[in-house]
Amino acid sequence: MALIDFWKRIEPSKENQFLHATYDAFFTFMFKPNLTTKGKGVHIRDAMDLKRTMFHVVIALQLCLLVGTFNIGHQHFVALGIHTGFIEAFHLKLVFGLVQLLPIVIVANVVGLGIEFYFAARRGHAVEEGFLVSGMLIPLIMPPDIPLWMLALAVAFAVVIGKEAFGGTGMNVLNVALLARVFIFFAYPTEISGDGPWVAAWALAEDGATKVADYYWAHTMFNPLFDAAGWSTFVQGTPFVAGYSGATPLALGAAQGWAQVDAVTGEVTGGILSQYSALQMWMGGIPGCIGETSKPAIIFGAIFLLITRVASWRVMLSFVIGTALTGMIFNAWDATVFMNVPWYQHFGMGGLLFAMAFMATDPVTAAQTNRGKIIYGFLIGFFGMVIRVMNPAYAEGWMLAILLMNVFAPLVDHYVLEGNISKRLKRAKEYAK
Amino acid sequence: MTWGIIIAIVLVLFIFTLLTLGDGLLKVTASQAGEDTSGYSVLPTSLQELLGLGKKKGEYVPDDAPVKRLKRGFDVNLAGGPSLGQAGIRELRSATYALKPKDLIGMSPIPKVMPELGATVKAGEPLFYDKKHPEIIYAAPVSGEFIELRRGEKRSINELVILADQGEMQYHKHEDVPNLETASRADLVDFLTASGAWPFLRQRPFDIVADPSMTPKSIFVSTFDTAPWATDANFSVAGKEAAFRKGLAALAMLSGTKVHLGVNGMAQERPSDAFLKADEVEGVELHYFQGQHPAGNVGVHIHHVDPVLPNGQVVWHTDVHGVLLIGQLLLEGIFDTSKVIAVGGAELPAEEGYYARVHQGIHIAALLEGMADDMTTEKAYVRNAEGQKEEKMVEVRSIRIVSGDLLSGKQVERESFLGFYDDQLSVVKEGNYYELFGWLVPQAGHPTRSRTFPGGFFPGTHYVPDTNTNGEKRAFVMTGEYESVLPMNIYPQHVMRAILAKDFEKMEGLGLLELGEEDIALCEYVCTSKQPLQAILREGLEELRAQ
């Protein structure tokens, strides 16, 4: 194996910790190491390892990433009122999406992995794989126009305070990806909530009121190429459709009820252009965070995780049940227009399914006992719906609900374990008699 | 709103079609590639299977018998297992035999050796005893000359080697065999401890040799072993049915209450009548267990029938060989340690294992005749004194020999001896190789339970194992893995955490006392984070025992 020879020859000395940890991370990425089991304990081990587990979550996210990328471009042109068909001007939307997304992915991973490598070297152990998934999840739960410095700050906060401070992968109490998002949510709320951030690359025109498309060099660098091919190009300064607000179906539903979401009239009512249908909402042609919009892509990822048994079906199932029941209660209560939104349509809105498939199922921060997982999932569903529907300022709840339950998961486990212990002690007393 | 429902239904149908299609294609490709598709299970073939009612009990199980169906577990299917082949059960003897005091948990490092070096011993004559329990005698398994005392660190005793007689085995004849009809329990205990049969009785918790001064709340015997390449107790008991019944009667007398016999409830071949009709002996109860490994472990049987609880009471257990040994001792007055063991491994000459009738402590080289050398040389880069890298040939192990099964056995050298209680020898290729993107590609060839490999979908396939860890050690990340292969109402991961945190109350409360290494071995095998669970478990047990 010439390749192995090459790697072995360039192995740096162990005295340079950072260099060696980095080398080790890349080497074990290339090759499964030649470690063998110890003479005591098991002599053979299952072929599964943590790298593979983590990577299968990343695989499950790929479809979300792909559709999400394209949808960034699609939403931009829908706002401009041109190329409004989903696959019209495919090249423009894809290029636009990639130009928006790639810097986010790169910044999130460079910052996060850099910190991980540093801490691994300091502690003198191998770089752990946890950030492989976080580095893919974080871009998917960000708005497409997030300023990169803000993202870098959020990732650094999440990794240092949320994870390394607790001892690294497997020790963190809170979900790292959600911690990055919640940092931005509280520190820079306008960048991640309201109607503005979901459509990328715009600026206010000189009149100070109209929004117009605002490209920079990376967008327009392909223009000559498209021109030569006779395709449509990016046009700087194209004005937005009059009355277009960028409100998500969730925001519409919260403000005006389900009827407004499911009405493709093209008319401006109450200052908002109504432009969605239920089908559109489910398929993903709506503004929102990058990865959360396309439900078929998320469901595909969820099924992939369930079949490969990487994620827990208990959490997902009880999450859905908790959400549905709470939604039904709100439907029956019927005090506001948002409560009146049919419970099953909630699944198509906002980040609900994404939270179910990829956030609540994080094995480190979820409850760890099987019974605890069911309680944990159910309570996330319940609290998430309560926060989403009852919160007057900001109509979404999964991030906060999951972080809340992350904190309470050890308590849930504690009671499950106490039950096991007291059952055993009770039997012991009965026998002793 | 109707839209939503229609889309949901279409989506479900679409995904189901996709799954069925993929399922069929996978199955076709797999059978073309020569894989065994019988155990394949993404989609349940019938409603029964969906509800988990698929497995039938063996036809020999009476309708009113107590049957415990264990849903959790996993059979590690490995190529190279033992088969009877043309030769049947081989009769093997070696030039030397040895007992290894360190196989016995809790034994002091330097036990008192009884005969002088060079003395002639008969099978069943005393060889050594533990100074903490001088009444329990450990007897010579074969007759011959006591030739060597191999010592390890700090003069501790590793092996007591006997050069065996080449001719017929000389047995020490016991004249004072108690009659079970008339003798008292104390007489029986005295006889068994003095004759060398006592160490075959072990105690849960801790898996130490039973304490003769205690009375157990019951005694357990498992008549089947579900570990990979395990031996078949039916071979051992064949022709010795009377001794088995006698042994059970003695155990019933020792327990004072019940002897619980665990029988395989879904064996492919009907178990011996010695097991199925054992409940004719007074005080013996049969329990049928159905399920995958570790369904045959005595720890699992104890958990479901009469668990070890944190109240000071203990249970004893032994295996079929222990019962036979005690029975024969009481019937004929001789100490006969012969048993049928399994030798497994794809590295063996015929690329498959065999069964052999041997005596306790047989020399391992005698079992591995014709197998290739277990050491080889390999190129490596080594840093010299100046810190420069040098190419060098180093000697590395290519085949590992394990006394016991691959999940909980002990690594031994070829020039060593079979363990005190072991009825199985396994050989396995060392996995000290690199694999390009081994963690990423979905290649076949590794035994696995995970469905991220194609092999995970075909649990019936037999792969050749090796000792590669298939990844590096990590913190506990995945959850629910251990529980899914341990058919007990115990949370293994939290037991482990309690041990690491030295939380004694929690250890006991969560059921540490019910566990032995062999029970937790499968959890260690499937562990994604490659944690050394058996070592942690033993650490916890030792700490509890010290208290």
Side-chain angles (χ1 to χ4, degrees):
Chain A
M1 292 257 274
L3 203 55
I4 280 275
D5 261 19
F6 168 74
W7 273 93
K8 283 281 151 196
R9 238 176 280 141
I10 62 162
E11 178 173 357
S13 157
K14 282 194 173 131
E15 280 154 35
N16 190 335
Q17 282 184 345
F18 184 76
L19 206 60
H20 195 269
T22 311
Y23 164 85
D24 189 62
F26 281 103
F27 179 68
T28 54
F29 185 84
M30 277 292 281
F31 294 98
K32 189 170 86 177
N34 68 341
L35 305 171
T36 54
T37 50
K38 303 249 171 60
K40 268 182 170 177
V42 288
H43 297 277
I44 51 172
R45 288 236 185 221
D46 196 286
M48 190 67 182
D49 76 337
L50 200 59
K51 271 197 180 63
R52 200 178 174 85
T53 312
M54 294 294 182
F55 198 74
H56 274 75
V57 183
V58 175
I59 293 175
L61 285 166
Q62 289 313 298
L63 203 56
C64 293
L65 193 74
L66 199 72
V67 182
T69 310
F70 186 75
N71 191 42
I72 299 174
H74 179 61
Q75 289 311 315
H76 175 77
F77 286 104
V78 166
L80 296 180
I82 48 178
H83 314 307
T84 49
F86 194 65
I87 49 171
E88 261 177 68
F90 189 84
H91 60 290
L92 286 184
K93 292 175 181 173
L94 196 63
V95 165
F96 185 90
L98 284 175
V99 166
Q100 291 297 135
L101 181 83
L102 280 179
I104 298 181
V105 174
I106 291 168
V107 167
N109 279 288
V110 167
V111 173
L113 286 178
I115 297 172
E116 292 260 314
F117 279 35
Y118 171 74
F119 274 98
R122 271 201 60 163
R123 294 209 178 102
H125 62 55
V127 177
E128 305 209 328
E129 293 77 16
F131 200 78
L132 241 95
V133 171
S134 304
M136 196 46 63
L137 282 174
I138 290 173
L140 289 178
I141 55 174
M142 291 295 166
D145 231 4
I146 186 81
L148 295 178
W149 63 268
M150 216 178 268
L151 178 75
L153 209 60
V155 171
F157 172 81
V159 175
V160 175
I161 305 293
K163 190 160 152 191
E164 296 304 338
F166 289 94
T169 302
M171 313 289 181
N172 49 312
V173 176
L174 297 171
N175 186 312
V176 175
L178 285 179
L179 205 60
R181 194 175 194 279
V182 88
F183 178 83
I184 300 180
F185 180 74
F186 284 119
Y188 311 101
T190 52
E191 296 295 338
I192 204 161
S193 54
D195 295 342
W198 313 116
V199 174
W202 56 270
L204 287 179
E206 279 163 17
D207 61 7
T210 337
K211 289 176 179 176
V212 295
D214 181 25
Y215 302 109
Y216 60 104
W217 64 268
H219 294 112
T220 49
M221 109 185 131
F222 292 97
N223 267 352
L225 200 69
F226 296 152
D227 230 2
W231 296 342
S232 45
T233 53
F234 293 108
V235 182
Q236 180 78 16
T238 315
F240 273 37
V241 175
Y244 182 86
S245 70
T248 61
L250 185 69
L252 281 179
Q256 303 180 12
W258 175 247
Q260 187 63 29
V261 181
D262 191 17
V264 199
T265 56
E267 290 166 12
V268 181
T269 43
I272 299 171
L273 178 72
S274 81
Q275 54 192 325
Y276 306 116
S277 67
L279 180 67
Q280 205 179 344
M281 183 178 83
W282 277 90
M283 287 303 157
I286 54 166
C289 289
I290 296 168
E292 72 174 20
T293 52
S294 174
K295 278 72 191 183
I298 296 169
I299 292 172
F300 176 85
I303 289 177
F304 180 81
L305 289 183
L306 288 177
I307 286 187
T308 53
R309 294 195 186 130
V310 170
S312 160
W313 61 267
R314 289 184 175 85
V315 174
M316 288 203 204
L317 184 70
S318 63
F319 184 115
V320 169
I321 293 171
T323 312
L325 283 180
T326 318
M328 284 175 200
I329 292 171
F330 281 130
N331 281 175
W333 188 352
D334 197 13
T336 65
V337 282
F338 199 19
M339 283 189 191
N340 203 12
V341 172
W343 60 270
Y344 46 85
Q345 296 293 2
H346 271 289
F347 288 91
M349 288 178 167
L352 194 156
L353 284 179
F354 194 82
M356 173 204 77
F358 301 110
M359 292 299 178
T361 50
D362 171 9
V364 176
T365 55
Q368 297 180 343
T369 54
N370 286 343
R371 202 167 293 173
K373 278 176 192 164
I374 291 173
I375 300 169
Y376 169 84
F378 185 88
L379 286 179
I380 292 180
F382 172 74
F383 283 123
M385 280 301 277
V386 168
I387 300 173
R388 171 185 269 197
V389 175
M390 312 271 279
N391 182 350
Y394 174 69
E396 186 60 309
W398 306 110
M399 172 178 72
L400 297 173
I402 291 174
L403 288 173
L404 180 76
M405 284 312 295
N406 281 171
V407 174
F408 284 107
L411 189 70
V412 174
D413 279 337
H414 176 77
Y415 281 110
V416 173
L417 294 177
E418 281 300 311
N420 188 285
I421 292 173
S422 63
K423 199 173 154 192
R424 190 164 280 113
L425 291 181
K426 213 172 130 193
R427 272 181 92 174
K429 270 183 199 156
E430 277 170 20
Y431 271 92
K433 271 176 197 168
Chain B
M1 129 173 188
T2 38
W3 266 114
I5 297 172
I6 292 169
I7 290 164
I9 293 171
V10 169
L11 211 67
V12 167
L13 283 178
F14 173 71
I15 288 165
F16 190 77
T17 321
L18 215 68
L19 274 179
T20 325
L21 198 72
D23 199 52
L25 286 175
L26 194 62
K27 214 163 179 168
V28 169
T29 325
S31 46
Q32 276 172 356
E35 305 247 352
D36 176 13
T37 58
S38 59
Y40 172 63
S41 65
V42 167
L43 298 171
T45 45
S46 69
L47 194 66
Q48 254 204 341
E49 214 165 285
L50 190 70
L51 299 172
L53 307 169
K55 273 167 190 152
K56 274 191 200 153
K57 59 183 178 184
E59 281 167 15
Y60 51 85
V61 181
D63 289 333
D64 57 341
V67 178
K68 190 77 199 167
R69 184 179 287 119
L70 306 171
K71 282 187 192 153
R72 293 179 287 171
F74 178 67
D75 280 336
V76 184
N77 288 315
L78 304 174
S83 80
L84 280 176
Q86 302 263 312
I89 297 171
R90 303 184 197 176
E91 303 281 340
L92 290 181
R93 295 178 74 172
S94 63
T96 52
Y97 287 76
L99 290 190
K100 299 189 282 183
K102 284 178 182 169
D103 289 341
L104 300 148
I105 293 162
M107 166 71 64
S108 38
I110 312 179
K112 176 74 184 159
V113 179
M114 298 170 78
E116 295 285 313
L117 264 186
T120 314
V121 290
K122 286 180 183 170
E125 282 186 344
L127 209 53
F128 67 93
Y129 62 83
D130 186 356
K131 287 164 194 164
K132 286 175 284 186
H133 282 286
E135 70 277 20
I136 306 175
I137 295 297
Y138 296 80
V142 293
S143 62
E145 188 189 345
F146 175 40
I147 53 163
E148 201 184 347
L149 196 61
R150 292 189 190 157
R151 290 183 187 269
E153 281 174 14
K154 294 182 188 168
R155 295 186 40 81
S156 65
I157 294 175
N158 283 348
E159 287 161 357
L160 294 93
V161 186
I162 296 171
L163 181 66
D165 289 337
Q166 283 307 302
E168 204 174 314
M169 181 89 73
Q170 302 293 315
Y171 288 103
H172 173 72
K173 182 79 181 153
H174 289 276
E175 305 296 344
D176 53 343
V177 179
N179 183 347
L180 289 185
E181 309 280 314
T182 54
S184 69
R185 180 177 185 273
D187 293 340
L188 183 60
V189 170
D190 289 344
F191 175 70
L192 290 179
T193 49
S195 64
W198 192 265
F200 292 88
L201 285 172
R202 280 184 284 173
Q203 171 205 309
R204 276 285 169 100
F206 311 129
D207 275 332
I208 52 178
V209 171
D211 184 345
S213 64
M214 290 176 94
T215 309
K217 55 177 185 165
S218 50
I219 297 181
F220 282 81
V221 182
S222 172
T223 64
F224 67 113
D225 192 346
T226 43
W229 300 341
T231 186
D232 189 339
N234 290 317
F235 296 142
S236 288
V237 85
K240 292 185 176 179
E241 286 83 358
F244 190 73
R245 289 168 71 97
K246 193 76 176 172
L248 284 179
L251 292 184
M253 189 165 173
L254 283 178
S255 81
T257 51
K258 286 274 180 231
V259 174
H260 299 286
L261 200 69
V263 182
N264 193 350
M266 44 185 268
Q268 290 188 335
E269 282 170 35
R270 181 186 162 88
S272 161
D273 274 344
F275 303 148
L276 294 180
K277 296 190 175 152
D279 51 354
E280 290 168 4
V281 181
E282 200 184 329
V284 176
E285 245 177 49
L286 284 191
H287 298 272
Y288 291 93
F289 289 90
Q290 300 180 339
Q292 306 196 54
H293 185 59
N297 282 10
V298 75
V300 174
H301 301 178
I302 296 172
H303 176 86
H304 286 285
V305 177
D306 191 8
V308 178
L309 297 163
N311 57 5
Q313 288 179 320
V314 299
V315 302
W316 290 352
H317 64 88
T318 184
D319 54 7
V320 170
H321 302 123
V323 181
L324 286 173
L325 184 121
I326 293 172
Q328 214 151 1
L329 193 62
L330 292 171
L331 274 185
E332 301 165 29
I334 61 167
F335 183 81
D336 180 9
T337 59
S338 70
K339 51 187 171 185
V340 176
I341 65 163
V343 180
E347 315 305 313
L348 291 166
E351 290 184 13
E352 66 168 16
Y354 63 91
Y355 293 99
R357 189 183 303 280
V358 302
H359 281 85
Q360 187 189 19
I362 189 171
H363 193 205
I364 281 164
L367 297 171
L368 298 178
E369 226 159 86
M371 193 181 80
D373 195 9
D374 44 345
M375 300 300 276
T376 172
T377 54
E378 194 184 81
K379 193 170 74 177
Y381 289 93
V382 182
R383 274 183 201 278
N384 59 16
E386 290 97 61
Q388 298 297 310
K389 266 183 260 186
E390 272 178 5
E391 242 183 76
K392 224 175 153 182
M393 297 305 283
V394 292
E395 194 166 55
V396 290
R397 183 173 290 284
S398 59
I399 296 174
R400 180 181 299 190
I401 305 163
V402 176
S403 178
D405 67 71
L406 286 179
L407 297 179
S408 59
K410 256 188 199 169
Q411 181 176 356
V412 290
E413 299 294 321
R414 206 175 184 144
E415 292 307 317
S416 181
F417 303 87
L418 197 65
F420 193 93
Y421 296 109
D422 294 333
D423 52 11
Q424 174 176 8
L425 187 79
S426 312
V427 292
V428 58
K429 199 165 55 184
E430 283 285 1
N432 44 3
Y433 58 88
Y434 295 95
E435 190 176 356
L436 187 62
F437 289 122
W439 57 277
L440 174 62
V441 286
Q443 88 281 48
H446 295 297
T448 181
R449 181 169 169 272
S450 164
R451 287 184 169 175
T452 60
F453 290 90
F457 289 100
F458 301 99
T461 319
H462 291 67
Y463 289 114
V464 176
D466 60 56
T467 64
N468 195 294
T469 55
N470 296 311
E472 296 165 290
K473 189 182 160 190
R474 292 288 182 260
F476 291 115
V477 169
M478 297 305 284
T479 56
E481 253 183 345
Y482 304 157
E483 285 87 338
S484 69
V485 293
L486 184 70
M488 298 187 186
N489 184 18
I490 285 179
Y491 294 97
Q493 190 161 339
H494 295 90
V495 174
M496 295 299 149
R497 284 180 188 224
I499 295 172
L500 292 174
K502 302 207 186 299
D503 183 343
F504 293 102
E505 247 172 65
K506 216 169 186 180
M507 283 185 221
E508 267 196 340
L510 286 172
L512 174 61
L513 296 176
E514 299 188 40
L515 294 170
E517 276 105 327
E518 52 171 18
D519 303 325
I520 213 84
L522 195 59
C523 302
E524 187 174 338
Y525 167 78
V526 300
C527 179
T528 298
S529 297
K530 315 292 176 191
Q531 289 277 346
L533 302 188
Q534 293 181 61
I536 301 175
L537 183 88
R538 182 44 65 185
E539 198 181 298
L541 285 173
E542 287 305 310
E543 271 167 19
L544 277 188
R545 198 157 68 89
Q547 283 200 333

